[in-house]
Amino acid sequence: MRWRCTCAYDGTDFEGWQSQVGGNTVQDTIEARLGAIFKRPIRVHGAGRTDAGVHARGQVFHFDADWSHGSQKLLSALSASLRRDIQITSIAGVNVSFHARFSALRKRYVYRFYLGQASPFETRYCWSVGDRSMDLVATEQLAQRFLGTHDFTALAATHHDGKTINPEKTLYRLEFQQEGKKLQLIVEGSGFLYKMVRTIAGTLLQVGRGALTADYVWDCLEKKERREKIVTAPAHGLCLDRVFYAKNFLQNV
Amino acid sequence: MRWRCTCAYDGTDFEGWQSQVGGNTVQDTIEARLGAIFKRPIRVHGAGRTDAGVHARGQVFHFDADWSHGSQKLLSALSASLRRDIQITSIAGVNVSFHARFSALRKRYVYRFYLGQASPFETRYCWSVGDRSMDLVATEQLAQRFLGTHDFTALAATHHDGKTINPEKTLYRLEFQQEGKKLQLIVEGSGFLYKMVRTIAGTLLQVGRGALTADYVWDCLEKKERREKIVTAPAHGLCLDRVFYAKNFLQNV
C-alpha cells in the first residue's frame, strides 16, 4: 500500500528536508516515527528537498507500508510524539503509480519579506529588509519577464552535488502581495534549480531598492552568467507552500 | 538620566524575564547589551516578571544611564547584535520618578488557545486544546463574575519565593475574542498573583468544556481553596501584551 502525506514544518531547527548523517532533518524525523510504528525501516520520498532553515506548509511525501486500521488512525499514530515543529496535515492511500516527486506537476513557494524589522513572533518566517521604500512597479515588470521558460543558470547556485541538471525551467506565476509591512512573493514553477527561488527573491528586492536595474539582471539571465551583484535571499524567508498533482492522483484508494 | 524601554520577546528559549544564575533570561540578555554599551554594569527594572516560556509584546523596563546621543541612537545601539527573539520597540527619556513596576497602573495579558492543533508556525504562541466544542456562554458568565476585586488564592500557585503577598487583586477586563479556531482571552488587572492568569485561563477552558461547573469554581474562590481540579494553562500560550502608566510618565524628558 502506498500512502501520500502532506506535512508542515518550521524549518528553523532542522538541517533541511533530506536525510543526512546526524539525522536532524525532517525526513529523518518522519522516518524514525514510521520505523517505530511499523517496526522496520521505512523510506519516505519527498516532493522536493528544502534547504536548512526553509519552511513548508504543504510538503508532500509518500511511502509504502501495509496498514489495516484506516488513514485516520495512521495519521494519529504518525503525529503522536512528533516534535511540535512538524505537523502531518493529511494522509491518504494512493495508487502505487503515484510518486511524490515525479508525479508533481508544479510547486508553489512563498518568499516572505518584512519591510522593517519583524517582531520576535514573525522573524523566524520572513526576511526583515528595513523600511527603505520599494519600487514595486519595477520589480513587477521584471517578474513578468521571468515568466515562461528560460535558462535560469544566472539566478541559481551551482548545484551542490555536481549532477548535471537541465537549467531550463518554466515559471507559471511570479506575483507580489503586500499587506502593510508584509510583502510576499509567490512563485510557481515546474521545477527549480538549487537556490533559484531565493535568488529570484533577492534579485527582485535589489531591483525594487534600485541597487540593480532590470536590464542588468536580464543581461545576466541571457548570458547565463551568475554575477557577484546577484544576491540570494536568506533561507528563513522561504516556504514550500504547495505541490500540485494531476487530479487522478488525489483520489484515495 | 532614566530611560523607559518597551520590548517584545518570544519566551520559548528563555528562562523567563528575571535575572538568575545561568543568565538565560531576558533581563540578563538586555543587561549584557547595556553593559557592553556603557562599559559598566547596568541594572534594569521590569514592569513584571514573566515565567519561563511566557512571551511579551509590551514588556516595559527602565534603567539609569547618561547618554548624550539621543534616544534613537540608544535604541539602535541596544538593538545591535541582540538575539532575534528579543526586540526593543521603543525607548524614551523619562522623569526619574518613573518606575517600570511601581508606576504601572494596570497590565494586560493575552492567553491564546487554538481550538484544534495549531500549525508549526503558531504552536509556539498558543495552547492547542483540540477541537472539542466550547460553551463560550458559560465561560463568559464566569469571567464576568471574576471582574472586580477578589481574593484569588484559589486561582493562583503558592508564591514561589515565599513572600507574603496580598491575595486581593482587581480585574478590570476579562474577555474572549474568537476568530475561526483562534480563541484569545484578554485579561487586564492591577496586578496578578503567581500563575494567576494561566490558572484563570485553564479554569475557564475547563468550564467551557464542561469538565468543571462555574459554581464549583466560584465555591473554590470563595473558600480560598486551591483544589486539584483547578488546572493551570501552559506558559507558551501567555503573552504580556501591554503595561499601562499614567499619562504624565509617558511624556519624554
Side-chain angles (χ1 to χ4, degrees):
Chain A
M1 288 175 76
R2 181 155 293 185
W3 300 92
R4 185 194 67 241
C5 290
T6 312
C7 65
Y9 46 86
D10 174 338
T12 309
D13 297 327
F14 289 105
E15 296 298 322
W17 164 266
Q18 192 175 33
S19 183
Q20 60 173 243
V21 178
N24 183 30
T25 72
V26 182
Q27 183 183 350
D28 289 315
T29 305
I30 292 171
E31 287 180 349
R33 276 299 308 148
L34 287 169
I37 294 168
F38 291 101
K39 317 287 185 209
R40 65 174 180 86
I42 302 264
R43 173 48 50 118
V44 311
H45 302 268
R49 301 169 186 181
T50 53
D51 286 337
V54 173
H55 315 290
R57 285 188 184 267
Q59 170 74 289
V60 177
F61 62 90
H62 79 263
F63 63 92
D64 295 326
D66 289 330
W67 175 266
S68 55
H69 313 293
S71 59
Q72 194 55 45
K73 282 201 173 152
L74 184 52
L75 177 62
S76 300
L78 188 44
S79 301
S81 64
L82 203 59
R83 296 167 50 150
R84 67 174 183 167
D85 46 4
I86 308 182
Q87 182 182 29
I88 309 296
T89 49
S90 78
I91 184 162
V94 282
N95 192 288
V96 290
S97 63
F98 173 84
H99 189 289
R101 182 167 163 212
F102 301 125
S103 306
L105 299 177
R106 200 166 17 134
K107 283 181 216 149
R108 180 196 293 157
Y109 281 92
V110 176
Y111 196 93
R112 292 182 171 80
F113 302 92
Y114 191 91
L115 306 176
Q117 175 57 50
S119 81
F121 309 102
E122 297 166 315
T123 193
R124 295 161 73 92
Y125 312 116
C126 58
W127 185 23
S128 293
V129 294
D131 54 7
R132 279 171 49 207
S133 68
M134 278 272 288
D135 178 355
L136 274 177
V137 175
T139 52
E140 289 275 12
Q141 281 173 351
L142 179 57
Q144 288 302 312
R145 287 173 79 175
F146 284 153
L147 290 180
T149 305
H150 304 281
D151 182 318
F152 281 98
T153 300
L155 296 178
T158 312
H159 201 273
H160 53 327
D161 62 8
K163 284 184 203 157
T164 306
I165 281 180
N166 179 2
E168 287 209 340
K169 298 291 170 192
T170 302
L171 293 187
Y172 302 109
R173 185 178 174 199
L174 206 56
E175 183 186 323
F176 281 98
Q177 293 179 342
Q178 190 171 1
E179 194 189 310
K181 292 188 165 187
K182 295 177 184 174
L183 177 69
Q184 60 180 25
L185 174 66
I186 297 166
V187 184
E188 288 180 19
S190 56
F192 300 92
L193 300 173
Y194 186 51
K195 294 194 179 172
M196 176 175 152
V197 180
R198 288 163 53 189
T199 307
I200 287 175
T203 302
L204 288 175
L205 179 79
Q206 284 177 300
V207 169
R209 287 282 166 85
L212 291 180
T213 65
D215 286 341
Y216 176 88
V217 175
W218 197 254
D219 188 54
C220 295
L221 194 86
E222 289 196 318
K223 292 183 175 149
K224 301 170 197 174
E225 285 177 7
R226 170 75 196 230
R227 297 185 195 153
E228 269 183 30
K229 286 185 182 174
I230 300 287
V231 163
T232 300
H236 69 278
L238 186 62
C239 183
L240 173 55
D241 193 60
R242 193 171 158 186
V243 186
F244 295 85
Y245 296 96
K247 272 196 185 143
N248 59 308
F249 284 127
L250 298 183
Q251 280 150 11
N252 300 350
V253 295
Chain B
M1 288 175 77
R2 181 155 292 185
W3 300 94
R4 186 193 67 242
C5 289
T6 312
C7 66
Y9 46 85
D10 175 339
T12 309
D13 298 327
F14 288 105
E15 297 297 323
W17 164 266
Q18 193 175 32
S19 182
Q20 60 174 242
V21 178
N24 183 31
T25 71
V26 182
Q27 182 183 351
D28 289 317
T29 306
I30 291 171
E31 287 181 349
R33 276 301 306 148
L34 287 170
I37 294 168
F38 291 100
K39 316 288 185 209
R40 67 174 177 88
I42 302 264
R43 172 48 50 120
V44 311
H45 301 267
R49 302 169 185 182
T50 53
D51 286 339
V54 173
H55 315 289
R57 284 188 185 268
Q59 170 73 290
V60 177
F61 62 89
H62 78 264
F63 63 92
D64 295 325
D66 289 331
W67 176 265
S68 55
H69 313 293
S71 59
Q72 194 55 47
K73 282 202 172 152
L74 184 51
L75 176 62
S76 300
L78 187 44
S79 302
S81 64
L82 203 58
R83 295 168 52 151
R84 69 175 181 165
D85 46 6
I86 306 182
Q87 183 182 30
I88 308 295
T89 49
S90 78
I91 185 163
V94 282
N95 192 288
V96 290
S97 62
F98 173 84
H99 189 289
R101 183 168 163 212
F102 302 124
S103 306
L105 299 177
R106 201 167 15 136
K107 283 180 215 151
R108 180 196 293 157
Y109 282 92
V110 176
Y111 196 93
R112 293 183 171 80
F113 302 93
Y114 191 91
L115 306 176
Q117 175 57 51
S119 80
F121 309 103
E122 296 165 317
T123 194
R124 296 161 71 91
Y125 312 117
C126 58
W127 185 23
S128 293
V129 294
D131 53 8
R132 279 170 50 207
S133 67
M134 279 272 287
D135 178 354
L136 274 178
V137 175
T139 51
E140 289 273 12
Q141 281 173 351
L142 179 57
Q144 288 304 311
R145 289 173 78 176
F146 284 153
L147 290 180
T149 304
H150 304 280
D151 182 319
F152 281 100
T153 300
L155 296 177
T158 312
H159 200 272
H160 54 326
D161 62 9
K163 283 184 204 156
T164 307
I165 281 179
N166 179 2
E168 287 209 339
K169 297 293 170 192
T170 303
L171 294 186
Y172 302 109
R173 186 179 174 197
L174 206 57
E175 183 185 321
F176 281 97
Q177 293 179 342
Q178 190 171 0
E179 195 188 309
K181 293 189 166 187
K182 294 177 186 174
L183 177 69
Q184 60 180 25
L185 174 66
I186 298 166
V187 184
E188 287 180 20
S190 56
F192 300 93
L193 300 173
Y194 186 50
K195 293 194 179 171
M196 176 175 151
V197 180
R198 287 163 55 190
T199 308
I200 287 175
T203 302
L204 289 175
L205 179 79
Q206 284 176 300
V207 170
R209 286 283 167 86
L212 291 180
T213 66
D215 286 340
Y216 176 89
V217 175
W218 197 254
D219 188 53
C220 295
L221 193 85
E222 289 196 319
K223 292 185 176 148
K224 301 168 197 173
E225 285 178 6
R226 170 73 197 231
R227 297 186 196 152
E228 270 184 28
K229 285 185 180 172
I230 299 288
V231 163
T232 300
H236 69 278
L238 187 61
C239 183
L240 172 55
D241 193 61
R242 192 172 159 187
V243 186
F244 295 85
Y245 296 96
K247 272 196 185 144
N248 60 307
F249 284 128
L250 298 182
Q251 281 151 11
N252 301 350
V253 294

